[in-house]
């Protein structure tokens, strides 16, 4: 069993600009040996598929760049022909915009804004945030995800370091303050790192994830819930992502911790830390680290990439997911060529039964990951 994945973005990439480019990219991934792709479908407050939920809530059906098309459907068709699984990636999660003062979402729904201690729109590292603890915001994200689950023959869905998440500096809006007062008969601490305040907010996000997981399984128990938080406990302390509890409670089928380090020794140290943790060591069949292969001008060396893959296998980790696709194509496919030596033999994407083998307290076993009717769907869609 191996997971050989890659994220496909709209940032620094032109793949989604045409069906032809999608077909070429997916064929390239198949030739290189990948068995699963994570295409972005929710970014900058817009979707890459025609969304009824987005249209009814905000009057915009799809990112205008893709008007008249359905890039997600096009990618599924291409991936199916190549034997590659598709897990749509809701990249922005509870973030509303990047350096845009909340963007369209918060212009139309200002009551959805997350607030910091000073009462300002919550901004962290350039991203502006919706209030991930507000039931209307949670329901909006839930419905976005469920319409993809209901309408497309996919292997699963994915959240990342923004789903479910909220920067620790958030939670000072009036709704969340009142919710906290109901529980503790006092105002939230002004120290956003206060352990009780931090864990209380993290628990609310965990309950949202539990609801999401249950509703996805109610629609199709064969679908996988994939999550890609940052490394633990940093993800909890900075973004209220209690990934250790998520694993313990069986709220994720796949986890891809973002071990984004620019040298192999740092990567190795964090993998060691993870596999030695009692929680994570009991869940290794579900864990395939995220590896940073490109960001801006940085690109991983072939030696580092191959060493990381080999080390993953030596530690009992079944795979990895690479961020992101364009890194494979630079300098005449300089990374993809040596990668083919590690991915030389075709390996199908694992079933949920395989993913739960050897896992402590696995969730209910699932077999047919695509569910009934997916071939008919493809025939009717195109």
């Amino acid at each position: 069993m191996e997971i050989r994945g890659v994220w496909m973005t709209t940032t620094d990439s032109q793949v989604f600009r045409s069906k032809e480019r999608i077909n070429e990219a997916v064929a390239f991934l198949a030739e290189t040996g990948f068995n699963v792709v994570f295409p972005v479908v929710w970014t900058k407050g817009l979707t890459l598929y025609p969304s009824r939920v987005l249209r009814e809530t905000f009057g915009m059906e799809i990112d205008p760049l893709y008007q008249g098309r359905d890039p997600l459907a096009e990618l599924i068709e291409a991936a199916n022909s190549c034997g590659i699984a598709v897990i749509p990636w809701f990249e922005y999660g509870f973030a509303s915009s990047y350096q845009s003062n909340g963007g369209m979402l918060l212009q139309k729904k200002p009551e959805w804004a997350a607030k910091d201690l000073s009462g300002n729109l919550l901004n962290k590292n350039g991203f502006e945030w919706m209030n991930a603890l507000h039931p209307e915001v949670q329901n909006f994200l839930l419905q976005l995800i469920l319409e993809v689950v209901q309408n497309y023959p996919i292997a699963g869905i994915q959240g990342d370091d923004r789903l479910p998440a909220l920067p620790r500096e958030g939670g000072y809006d009036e709704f969340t303050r009142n919710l906290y007062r109901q529980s503790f008969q006092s105002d939230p601490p002004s120290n956003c790192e206060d352990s009780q305040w931090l864990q209380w907010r993290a628990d609310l996000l965990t309950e949202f994830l539990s609801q999401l997981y249950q509703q996805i399984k109610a629609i199709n128990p064969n679908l996988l819930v994939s999550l890609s938080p940052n490394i633990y406990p940093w993800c909890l302390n900075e973004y209220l992502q209690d990934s250790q509890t998520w694993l313990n409670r069986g709220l994720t089928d796949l986890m891809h911790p973002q071990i984004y380090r620019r040298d192999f020794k740092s990567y190795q140290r964090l993998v060691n830390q993870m596999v030695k943790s009692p929680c994570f060591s009991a869940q290794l069949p579900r864990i395939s680290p995220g590896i940073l292969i490109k960001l801006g001008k940085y690109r991983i060396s072939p030696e580092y990439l191959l060493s990381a893959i080999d080390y993953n296998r030596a530690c009992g980790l079944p795979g990895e997911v690479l961020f992101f696709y364009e890194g494979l194509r630079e300098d005449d496919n300089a990374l993809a060529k040596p990668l083919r030596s590690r991915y030389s033999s075709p390996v199908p994407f694992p079933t949920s039964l395989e993913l739960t083998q050897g896992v402590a307290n696995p969730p209910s076993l699932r077999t047919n990951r695509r569910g009934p009717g997916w071939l008919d769907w493809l025939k009717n869609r195109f």
Side-chain angles (χ1 to χ4, degrees):
M1 180 183 78
E2 281 193 9
I3 293 171
R4 305 170 176 179
V6 64
W7 279 288
M8 195 169 281
T9 69
T10 53
T11 303
D12 294 332
S13 178
Q14 303 294 314
V15 168
F16 292 105
R17 293 301 181 91
S18 72
K19 185 175 181 179
E20 291 72 24
R21 290 181 177 182
I22 289 173
N23 290 341
E24 191 275 333
V26 171
F28 175 83
L29 291 177
E31 291 167 5
T32 307
F34 287 90
N35 60 11
V36 59
V37 61
F38 298 85
V40 61
V41 294
W42 167 245
T43 182
K44 301 176 183 176
L46 296 166
T47 58
L48 270 76
Y49 64 92
S51 168
R52 175 192 58 79
V53 173
L54 190 65
R55 182 183 69 249
E56 292 180 355
T57 311
F58 293 101
M60 182 84 74
E61 185 176 68
I62 191 172
D63 186 324
L65 284 172
Y66 312 106
Q67 195 71 43
R69 294 176 51 217
D70 187 339
L72 175 56
E74 293 169 4
L75 187 137
I76 290 171
E77 180 190 29
N80 175 66
S81 68
C82 294
I84 294 178
V86 177
I87 299 181
W89 165 40
F90 290 80
E91 179 195 12
Y92 260 51
F94 286 109
S96 60
S97 60
Y98 180 73
Q99 296 184 347
S100 300
N101 196 36
M104 175 194 72
L105 302 184
L106 295 186
Q107 287 176 11
K108 295 193 175 184
K109 296 278 189 180
E111 67 276 15
W112 285 10
K115 298 294 180 67
D116 62 19
L117 181 62
S118 300
N120 298 319
L121 173 61
L122 181 59
N123 182 314
K124 188 160 184 168
N125 299 325
F127 289 93
E128 295 96 13
W129 285 74
M130 296 182 284
N131 180 12
L133 308 180
H134 196 291
E136 289 184 8
V137 177
Q138 290 186 352
N139 185 61
F140 170 68
L141 260 294
L142 181 65
Q143 295 308 315
L144 272 184
I145 294 168
L146 293 182
E147 72 176 351
V148 171
V149 167
Q150 292 169 323
N151 295 331
Y152 295 88
I154 54 178
I157 63 92
Q158 184 179 69
D160 59 7
D161 52 356
R162 290 185 282 269
L163 180 66
L166 183 71
R168 67 182 183 186
E169 295 84 0
Y172 292 98
D173 60 282
E174 197 55 31
F175 173 84
T176 307
R177 284 177 180 272
N178 286 333
L179 199 61
Y180 186 85
R181 291 182 190 117
Q182 292 172 21
S183 297
F184 299 100
Q185 291 73 53
S186 65
D187 288 330
S190 57
N191 176 13
C192 67
E193 300 176 52
D194 177 86
S195 59
Q196 178 180 273
W197 171 227
L198 190 146
Q199 190 63 55
W200 179 80
R201 290 172 292 164
D203 289 346
L204 292 179
L205 291 179
T206 296
E207 290 312 308
F208 167 77
L209 176 60
S210 176
Q211 180 186 11
L212 173 64
Y213 189 92
Q214 291 172 31
Q215 293 204 32
I216 288 172
K217 301 301 183 179
I219 294 170
N220 185 349
N222 306 311
L223 293 179
L224 301 172
V225 174
S226 162
L227 298 173
S228 180
N230 215 299
I231 55 175
Y232 186 88
W234 192 91
C235 59
L236 172 61
N237 295 330
E238 293 290 333
Y239 285 92
L240 310 180
Q241 295 192 296
D242 195 351
S243 58
Q244 183 169 279
T245 295
W246 300 348
L247 283 168
N248 283 337
R249 289 183 54 181
L251 300 180
T252 177
D253 304 301
L254 288 172
M255 185 171 285
H256 312 293
Q258 296 179 18
I259 308 183
Y260 290 175
R261 295 298 181 268
R262 300 193 182 195
D263 65 274
F264 175 64
K265 286 188 176 180
S266 296
Y267 178 87
Q268 185 180 42
R269 183 176 65 254
L270 289 172
V271 169
N272 288 341
Q273 174 184 313
M274 181 176 65
V275 299
K276 291 177 181 178
S277 164
C279 170
F280 288 88
S281 63
Q283 307 287 345
L284 292 188
R286 291 190 207 168
I287 300 173
S288 299
I291 300 176
L292 179 67
I293 66 170
K294 173 179 168 58
L295 186 64
K297 295 182 179 180
Y298 167 77
R299 192 181 73 222
I300 197 172
S301 69
E303 295 76 18
Y304 173 7
L305 178 57
L306 297 182
S307 294
I309 292 172
D310 291 344
Y311 199 71
N312 286 349
R313 300 304 179 277
C315 291
L317 297 167
E320 50 280 324
V321 182
L322 309 185
F323 186 84
F324 60 102
Y325 168 79
E326 295 299 339
L328 300 169
R329 307 307 303 265
E330 290 184 344
D331 296 338
D332 190 27
N333 308 328
L335 282 179
K337 291 174 181 176
L339 188 59
R340 289 173 181 173
S341 68
R342 292 297 187 277
Y343 291 168
S344 56
S345 301
V347 175
F349 186 67
T351 65
S352 51
L353 176 61
E354 292 172 314
L355 289 170
T356 55
Q357 289 177 346
V359 172
N361 301 317
S364 59
L365 301 183
R366 297 165 295 279
T367 52
N368 177 12
R369 65 176 181 272
R370 285 192 172 97
W374 66 276
L375 277 174
D376 291 337
W377 178 92
L378 281 173
K379 292 174 183 177
N380 294 332
R381 191 86 181 187
F382 298 98

